[in-house]
Amino acid sequence: MEVAIPELESRLAGFPPADASFTRIDLLNQLAWELALLDPPRSRRLCIEALRLARRSDYQRGVAGALRTQAYDCLVKTRLRRALTLAHGARNIFSELGDRYGYATATDVASNCYNYIGNYDRALELAVDYNEVSREIHFRRGEAWSLYNMGMIYMAIDDDAQARERLESALEIFELIDHPAGRSRVLFVLGGLFEKIGETRKALEYLESSKRTSEEIGLALGIASALMELGRIHQAAGRIPEALECHRRCLEFTAEAPNKNIEAETRLSLGRLAFDTGDLHGASVELHQALRILENSEALPITWRAHKLLGEISAAEGHFEKAYLHTREYQRIKETVHSNESQFKLNNLQIRLRVESAEKEAELDRLRYEEKAEAEARLSQTLAVLSEDLELARRVQRSLLPDPMKKAGEVEIAVHFEPMIQVGGDIYDIHEYAPGRLRLFLADATGHGVQAALNTMLIKNEYERLRDSDAPLNRILSELNLAYIRRFASLNAFFTCTLIDLDTRDYELRIACGGHPEQYLYSAGKITELQARGAVIGAFEGAVYSEATAKLRSGDRLLMFSDGLEEIRANRETAGGEFYGVERLRASIQQHGDRAPSAADLVEAIVADAHRFRGDAPVTDDLTLIAAIVP
């Protein structure tokens, strides 16, 4: 797993250049991965050769190893979307092959990509996964890098205490395993953290130590990073000559080891320096150079700062139209980067719990036999509290749903509600809002688990204000959308829904939909799709919703469901991982539509078909199915 570069080179030298064996491909990939940080051009050449040989011989592990290194190369070049595609491709292959080391390292690249993009929620989730797998396979270097990733993410969201704790733990492991490249990188980030919290002397000490370590091992990228941050500190302190010298030397090292992020950040600092000293033209030149460097890049946090400063420069020069355009672009990009902060906070509880659980396991490993019984008791108590919290959340969510019923008015009703875990993102409501008029509401919040369940409470609260309205259904959804956006836009949370009125006096059905799958009406042996156009709730303030109608007959079966029914997935290994899909669902309805004597029997038969198809595959989404039989 972890082999020194000289040993890899020695083993590779024992194979003839034309050798295409799996062993040689693995060695090419491993050496390319080890050199990705230290010698990018050579790493790139080795990776290309490994990929060519692996594809020729259909060696999937070899393909995955090469994709992982290419993903890292794209990450350094800030081609982040491409990097993500390659990293996820490598992760999937490694996962299917059961290669936990390969899976961990590909997860590392993906986590870094999401962090640069500004999707901190996903970045932290993958960093935790990387940490758990690394500890599972006793991969100390991976454990350290995953802690480093977490530290970077916590810094980005201004949780400096968590950031410092993770980074210092990473530094401890890198020093223990004698990994100077990792040590240099963590010292650099800790230097930036100390500068951020006002401990300038300590920041300079750590950054100088990072630079020395990088110089000792010839790591140009590490030297450039340290010089960039040292230049910023000198600039903030008014030491202009020292700042200029650091920035100049940084650009020299980025020419030797190209890194768009560092070069662009340095140009940004030079632009700020020129602006502060009154050189507006020089500032504009440096900032436009930074934007050119980041052209077609997804490193949005750097780009938005460049546009912000260009807006200030344009305003100072009297070019107000340009200032407006730059400021608008700055606001757009900033909102894109931070649009998921509320989502992050909602999910952060679950992620923190995973982190804490991982740390407790690591603590047990370190303690071994000392105080083992006490540590296990604390862990058991934590898990018990978590279990109690989830059970309480389950009871709270169930209390929002209607009581189990067999009839609503004259209509026979049956419901199957099955969240992915104890709680989920589906919610429904059924009530007779006038004699002979039954209203059914089904919503599906984005996400899963606790975060989605919290959203259902908000949905329920807003729908309650409108549930007895006699307005057209499309107008009710428009009002629901507008109210939800105005109250909860900052959460960046959405949901799909279907609203149906059954009128058993005139035997008519009315439906409005907000991004939800088509629902079905089974009548006289035929299935009719109930369609009504409309966007998901919470996405667009000016969304328009339509209303559709259908005639009913006695004995008709209405079926409402969330997308978790269609998206049930079979076991990947034994059944190819196919989705249940629309066709299988329609076939099940067709088979049981007339045979099932009651709504409960119909629901039970359809759900049984779906779970029979799933087999032993894990449940991946919440599932709700409602059947109503017209009297």
Side-chain angles (χ1 to χ4, degrees):
M1 187 190 302
E2 296 185 72
V3 184
I5 290 174
E7 183 181 342
L8 289 171
E9 291 174 326
S10 174
R11 288 165 59 182
L12 194 57
F15 291 86
D19 188 288
S21 66
F22 288 179
T23 302
R24 182 168 179 268
I25 293 172
D26 285 341
L27 287 171
L28 286 168
N29 271 327
Q30 196 165 357
L31 185 55
W33 179 245
E34 295 297 330
L35 291 171
L37 181 64
L38 300 172
D39 190 348
R42 188 181 173 203
S43 169
R44 211 170 290 128
R45 291 193 299 272
L46 292 168
C47 177
I48 291 171
E49 183 181 0
L51 184 59
R52 178 178 59 82
L53 295 174
R55 282 180 170 161
R56 181 186 299 170
S57 56
D58 194 26
Y59 180 36
Q60 288 303 298
R61 181 180 174 187
V63 171
L67 292 179
R68 172 194 58 193
T69 306
Q70 285 187 338
Y72 181 82
D73 189 47
C74 289
L75 170 65
V76 171
K77 295 174 181 176
T78 66
R79 295 172 57 197
L80 301 178
R81 298 293 175 187
R82 176 64 176 161
L84 268 177
T85 300
L86 294 169
H88 281 308
R91 280 182 88 225
N92 291 339
I93 296 173
F94 281 131
S95 178
E96 290 173 1
L97 295 174
D99 186 334
R100 303 296 279 163
Y101 169 76
Y103 175 85
T105 50
T107 300
D108 174 26
V109 180
S111 174
N112 276 287
C113 288
Y114 282 117
N115 187 24
Y116 276 119
I117 291 171
N119 188 341
Y120 305 123
D121 178 38
R122 183 68 173 141
L124 185 57
E125 181 182 351
L126 289 177
V128 172
D129 189 20
Y130 180 27
N131 181 270
E132 290 174 348
V133 175
S134 295
R135 288 187 303 98
E136 173 193 321
I137 61 177
H138 307 292
F139 178 29
R140 296 307 305 281
R141 187 174 63 179
E143 185 181 348
W145 279 120
S146 65
L147 289 166
Y148 163 82
N149 289 354
M150 291 182 210
M152 291 281 286
I153 297 161
Y154 280 120
M155 271 188 71
I157 61 171
D158 296 325
D159 193 341
D160 297 331
Q162 292 279 357
R164 180 172 180 176
E165 181 181 338
R166 300 306 190 281
L167 291 167
E168 288 179 343
S169 296
L171 182 62
E172 182 181 338
I173 296 174
F174 279 133
E175 289 178 340
L176 185 65
I177 64 176
D178 191 23
H179 191 278
R183 180 175 181 273
S184 167
R185 194 66 190 165
V186 177
L187 286 169
F188 159 69
V189 177
L190 278 169
L193 176 61
F194 286 125
E195 192 274 333
K196 178 184 176 186
I197 62 179
E199 297 186 32
T200 307
R201 183 174 296 178
K202 204 166 188 178
L204 290 169
E205 176 189 333
Y206 273 74
L207 290 168
E208 290 290 353
S209 180
S210 172
K211 184 163 73 72
R212 282 195 305 272
T213 304
S214 296
E215 288 169 344
E216 290 168 4
I217 60 175
L219 184 58
L221 188 60
I223 300 170
S225 300
L227 285 168
M228 175 188 72
E229 199 63 37
L230 285 166
R232 283 179 179 169
I233 294 176
H234 288 311
Q235 188 170 331
R239 296 188 288 269
I240 306 304
E242 291 89 340
L244 285 170
E245 176 65 13
C246 286
H247 293 325
R248 182 187 63 78
R249 291 187 61 205
C250 176
L251 291 176
E252 290 175 0
F253 280 102
T254 56
E256 180 181 337
N259 184 288
K260 289 186 177 181
N261 278 341
I262 294 176
E263 186 179 356
E265 285 276 17
T266 303
R267 295 286 181 191
L268 198 62
S269 295
L270 286 168
R272 169 56 72 180
L273 184 59
F275 179 73
D276 290 343
T277 55
D279 183 4
L280 300 184
H281 174 72
S284 181
V285 169
E286 293 292 351
L287 293 168
H288 281 293
Q289 181 68 9
L291 289 176
R292 279 193 292 274
I293 292 167
L294 294 174
E295 191 173 4
N296 299 322
S297 164
E298 293 90 3
L300 299 180
I302 303 175
T303 308
W304 106 50
R305 296 202 303 274
H307 280 293
K308 182 176 186 293
L309 189 50
L310 280 167
E312 294 177 23
I313 292 170
S314 298
E317 292 177 331
H319 300 149
F320 297 111
E321 185 175 350
K322 284 185 179 179
Y324 167 74
L325 292 174
H326 282 299
T327 303
R328 187 177 66 179
E329 187 66 4
Y330 152 68
Q331 291 289 353
R332 183 190 68 79
I333 297 172
K334 186 177 180 182
E335 287 171 7
T336 300
V337 171
H338 291 300
S339 64
N340 66 333
E341 272 197 6
S342 295
Q343 184 90 8
F344 178 89
K345 290 173 182 176
L346 287 171
N347 285 343
N348 200 27
L349 173 61
Q350 288 178 300
I351 295 173
R352 287 264 184 103
L353 292 174
R354 290 182 64 192
V355 173
E356 289 173 9
S357 178
E359 288 171 348
K360 286 186 179 295
E361 289 180 23
E363 181 184 357
L364 286 176
D365 288 340
R366 288 193 297 269
L367 289 173
R368 294 190 181 272
Y369 299 107
E370 296 180 17
E371 302 176 356
K372 186 176 180 181
E374 182 183 350
E376 288 179 343
R378 288 199 303 271
L379 179 59
S380 177
Q381 184 179 7
T382 299
L383 293 174
V385 170
L386 293 178
S387 179
E388 289 176 6
D389 287 348
L390 278 174
E391 175 58 24
L392 175 60
R394 185 192 69 80
R395 293 200 302 269
V396 170
Q397 186 177 43
R398 293 299 174 101
S399 71
L400 300 177
L401 303 175
D403 293 332
M405 63 184 75
K406 292 185 178 179
K407 277 197 172 185
E410 294 299 317
V411 180
E412 184 184 347
I413 297 285
V415 180
H416 179 86
F417 176 73
E418 183 182 341
M420 190 178 77
I421 58 173
Q422 286 98 322
V423 292
D426 288 356
I427 191 165
Y428 65 89
D429 184 72
I430 303 167
H431 80 294
E432 190 175 25
Y433 70 101
R437 293 181 178 180
L438 184 67
R439 178 162 290 167
L440 301 96
F441 176 72
L442 174 59
D444 182 357
T446 54
H448 306 294
V450 174
Q451 170 254 319
L454 290 172
N455 197 10
T456 63
M457 298 180 190
L458 307 181
I459 296 167
K460 175 73 171 177
N461 184 60
E462 292 306 310
Y463 175 70
E464 285 286 343
R465 304 170 190 265
L466 302 165
R467 72 194 296 254
D468 292 315
S469 171
D470 58 1
L473 299 187
N474 58 335
R475 188 180 300 172
I476 292 175
L477 287 195
S478 294
E479 292 180 16
L480 178 62
N481 178 61
L482 190 60
Y484 188 82
I485 289 175
R486 288 179 176 174
R487 294 196 67 191
F488 308 119
S490 62
L491 299 182
N492 192 32
F494 317 106
F495 65 93
T496 67
C497 69
T498 292
L499 183 61
I500 292 178
D501 277 359
L502 286 180
D503 190 333
T504 57
R505 300 171 308 171
D506 299 330
Y507 281 85
E508 186 178 60
L509 175 148
R510 290 183 295 278
I511 179 171
C513 177
H516 207 71
E518 290 82 1
Q519 309 290 276
Y520 294 135
L521 179 67
Y522 181 82
S523 178
K526 293 182 180 180
I527 299 173
T528 301
E529 288 186 356
L530 302 173
Q531 297 179 335
R533 292 187 302 275
V536 297
I537 304 295
F540 309 105
E541 191 164 332
V544 177
Y545 299 90
S546 64
E547 180 176 306
T549 62
K551 282 297 181 181
L552 300 173
R553 292 190 295 186
S554 177
D556 284 355
R557 268 83 165 149
L558 168 66
L559 291 154
M560 298 177 68
F561 51 89
S562 59
D563 61 6
L565 181 56
E566 295 177 347
E567 294 178 5
I568 281 178
R569 198 167 191 176
N571 189 296
R572 290 190 179 186
E573 295 181 3
T574 61
E578 286 189 62
F579 288 104
Y580 189 56
V582 173
E583 294 306 318
R584 290 188 178 90
L585 175 57
R586 288 175 66 98
S588 179
I589 296 170
Q590 195 73 53
Q591 179 183 355
H592 303 294
D594 289 324
R595 295 180 185 176
S598 66
D601 291 327
L602 181 57
V603 165
E604 183 180 352
I606 293 172
V607 172
D609 282 351
H611 282 314
R612 195 177 300 112
F613 170 82
R614 178 175 65 85
D616 59 356
V619 176
T620 57
D621 200 357
D622 309 314
L623 188 161
T624 302
L625 174 63
I626 303 172
I629 299 180
V630 179

